Amino acid sequence: MKIQKIEKCKIYHFKSGILPPFQLDIYFYIVDGLMIDAGSNNIMRKATKLLRNERIDAVAITHIHEDHTGLAWWLQNEKNVTIYIHKNSIEEASHDSNIPFYRKLVWGNRKGFRAFPIPAQLQTEYYSFDVIEAPGHHNDHIVLYEKSNGWLFTGDLFVSTKQRVAFVDENINTTIQTLQQLLVLDFEIIFCSHSGQQQKGKEKLKRKLDYFLSIQQQVQILKQKGLTTQEIDKILFPQPNLWTVVSCGEWSTLNIIKTIE
Ligand SMILES: [Zn+2]
C-alpha cells in the first residue's frame, strides 16, 4: 500500500487478492476531490481506513469491471458522494456483481450502487476533465483528459505495451481505433489503473497501438492463406498462458485474434 502525490493528484496503490499469483496491482486517484475509479472489494478494509478522512466530492468510474467499482457502495453510503459511470452501465451497477471464483480471489464481488450518467465534462476547483468515450477493453469504457496538465486517466486501456491476453469483453479492433483517436490529443502522463502513473504516456500508448497493428497485419496475412482463428492463435502465441487455464478462457490470446479483422 502506497500513496504518492503529484500537484493535487493523490495516487493510491494497493495489492488486491489473497495470495500471489492471485494478487495484482491496483491504483486509483483522487484529484482535487474527484476520485477516479474505485478499486476492488478485496482492498476495502485497507482503503476505507485511508479514505475515511479524505475529501471526496465525486467519483468518476472508467468502466463497470469489479476492480474499478469495488468501493463504490461504501463511498456512496459512508461518504455520500455522487458516482458517475457510462450511462449504459448504470443498470448493471445497481446489482451486486456475480463473478467467477478466480476473480473473487483477486478482486472480490462488489455490492450494487446507484450511479449517474457521466457528463461530457467534470470540473473541480483547479482542474477540468473531458470525458472521452474509449471503447475496446470494455464497450462502455471512458477516459478522462485533463488538457492543461497533459494528463490522461486511462482506466484499463493501457495496462502494458504488449498485452499477452485479452478479456472476453474486449474488442481489439475497437481498441486500435480508440488508441488512434486518443493519440491525436496532447498529453504526456497517463494514469493507469494497474500500472500507475506513467511518464511518456503518449509514447507508451503509441507502442501499444503499434504492437496491435503488427498483430493485425499478421492475422490478415494468415487469414488470407485460409487459416482458422485457432490455427492463427497457435502460430502467433505458441506458449500456453496460466491465466487462460485459471480463467477457463475468460482471458486468452484467442480473444485477441477473434476480435482482430
Ligand atoms: Zn477492466
Side-chain angles (χ1 to χ4, degrees):
M1 185 171 63
K2 203 172 145 195
I3 308 175
Q4 257 183 296
K5 207 168 175 201
I6 318 178
E7 309 232 351
K8 291 183 181 346
C9 174
K10 264 183 151 180
I11 302 167
Y12 291 80
H13 177 204
F14 297 86
K15 294 272 181 199
S16 179
I18 318 294
L19 286 167
F22 298 104
Q23 202 171 46
L24 296 173
D25 290 298
I26 191 162
Y27 290 80
F28 58 77
Y29 305 94
I30 300 180
V31 195
D32 190 25
L34 177 69
M35 182 164 171
I36 300 173
D37 275 333
S40 67
N41 185 72
N42 284 353
I43 63 164
M44 180 73 78
R45 209 167 38 86
K46 286 180 194 162
T48 53
K49 232 187 230 177
L50 296 173
L51 295 179
R52 206 168 289 278
N53 300 315
E54 191 67 65
R55 183 193 124 213
I56 303 171
D57 304 323
V59 182
I61 289 176
T62 58
H63 65 295
I64 188 72
H65 287 157
E66 70 276 6
D67 46 329
H68 300 257
T69 48
L71 307 172
W73 179 87
W74 180 88
L75 288 159
Q76 184 154 65
N77 285 281
E78 294 290 322
K79 305 285 281 185
N80 200 23
V81 292
T82 304
I83 299 173
Y84 296 109
I85 199 164
H86 193 288
K87 63 180 188 315
N88 296 348
S89 298
I90 288 174
E91 219 286 306
E92 188 179 341
S94 69
H95 308 290
D96 295 356
S97 69
N98 182 17
I99 52 176
F101 181 66
Y102 82 98
R103 282 160 65 187
K104 276 187 208 156
L105 291 179
V106 183
W107 311 121
N109 263 318
R110 61 150 177 84
K111 285 193 181 179
F113 60 96
R114 185 168 178 232
F116 293 85
I118 195 159
Q121 205 169 53
L122 285 166
Q123 208 82 34
T124 69
E125 191 182 344
Y126 293 94
Y127 302 105
S128 173
F129 298 88
D130 290 334
V131 175
I132 303 170
E133 299 254 357
H137 170 76
H138 185 280
N139 207 35
D140 302 312
H141 189 298
I142 59 97
V143 295
L144 292 121
Y145 177 41
E146 213 293 317
K147 196 176 174 180
S148 62
N149 280 284
W151 292 348
L152 192 68
F153 293 82
T154 52
D156 279 356
L157 189 69
F158 173 66
V159 185
S160 65
T161 44
K162 285 195 176 169
Q163 187 177 331
R164 304 287 177 196
V165 280
F167 190 55
V168 67
D169 280 359
E170 295 197 56
N171 184 311
I172 304 303
N173 253 12
T174 316
T175 300
I176 289 173
Q177 285 161 18
T178 293
L179 288 171
Q180 284 167 333
Q181 281 161 16
L182 292 177
L183 284 164
V184 173
L185 303 174
D186 193 14
F187 62 92
E188 165 59 22
I189 302 179
I190 56 172
F191 296 79
C192 170
S193 298
H194 298 290
S195 62
Q197 162 253 352
Q198 309 260 342
Q199 299 290 335
K200 297 191 179 171
K202 192 167 178 173
E203 207 179 296
K204 286 177 183 172
L205 277 189
K206 172 84 173 61
R207 267 164 48 202
K208 179 154 189 170
L209 172 64
D210 290 343
Y211 167 72
F212 279 147
L213 287 175
S214 98
I215 294 177
Q216 187 180 47
Q217 204 181 22
Q218 295 174 74
V219 169
Q220 283 166 352
I221 292 168
L222 293 169
K223 265 189 186 168
Q224 274 168 9
K225 286 184 179 167
L227 273 75
T228 65
T229 313
Q230 279 78 5
E231 287 165 342
I232 297 171
D233 182 36
K234 281 204 182 96
I235 292 170
L236 297 188
F237 299 103
Q239 302 293 334
N241 189 289
L242 171 71
W243 281 103
T244 305
V245 181
V246 170
S247 70
C248 299
E250 261 200 335
W251 287 94
S252 72
T253 51
L254 190 63
N255 288 340
I256 296 182
I257 307 294
K258 266 200 248 176
T259 56
I260 284 191
E261 277 158 26

